[in-house]
């Protein structure tokens, strides 16, 4: 099946929504399987356990602002 440009653009516009749903599903699937997950919350790295308890891991460095199309060099 070949997609035309309009169909490709439509699908690409929905990538952020699809990614959000996939991350939420993975988060809950991990907790349901008995595993803990790591999240970023208020600038901190926090481990969340299946029973809802949270454990502080460390303070995260400040975020880097990125402009659409910008290229960053990783050193």
């Amino acid at each position: 099946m070949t997609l035309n440009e309009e169909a490709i653009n439509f699908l690409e516009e929905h990538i952020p929504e699809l990614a959000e749903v996939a991350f939420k599903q993975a988060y809950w699937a991990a907790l349901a399987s008995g595993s803990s997950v790591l999240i970023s919350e208020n600038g901190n790295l926090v481990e969340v356990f299946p029973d809802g308890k949270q454990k502080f891991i460390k303070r995260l460095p400040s975020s880097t602002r990125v402009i659409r199309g910008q290229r960053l060099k990783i050193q």
Side-chain angles (χ1 to χ4, degrees):
M1 177 176 158
T2 305
L3 296 175
N4 63 25
E5 192 68 26
E6 184 179 338
I8 292 171
N9 288 336
F10 175 80
L11 293 171
E12 286 179 344
E13 288 174 6
H14 290 83
I15 288 174
E17 296 166 37
L18 295 170
E20 181 181 0
V21 170
F23 271 94
K24 284 182 181 178
Q25 183 178 15
Y27 173 90
W28 290 109
L31 291 176
S33 73
S35 299
S36 62
V37 293
L38 294 173
I39 63 169
S40 169
E41 186 174 79
N42 299 322
N44 298 317
L45 183 63
V46 177
E47 185 173 9
V48 180
F49 296 93
D51 64 1
K53 291 182 183 173
Q54 296 186 355
K55 176 183 171 188
F56 170 83
I57 302 296
K58 71 176 189 175
R59 181 101 181 109
L60 295 171
S62 58
S63 59
T64 302
R65 291 213 176 268
V66 179
I67 299 169
R68 184 180 220 168
Q70 178 183 2
R71 293 179 184 237
L72 301 174
K73 286 187 179 182
I74 299 175
Q75 299 176 355

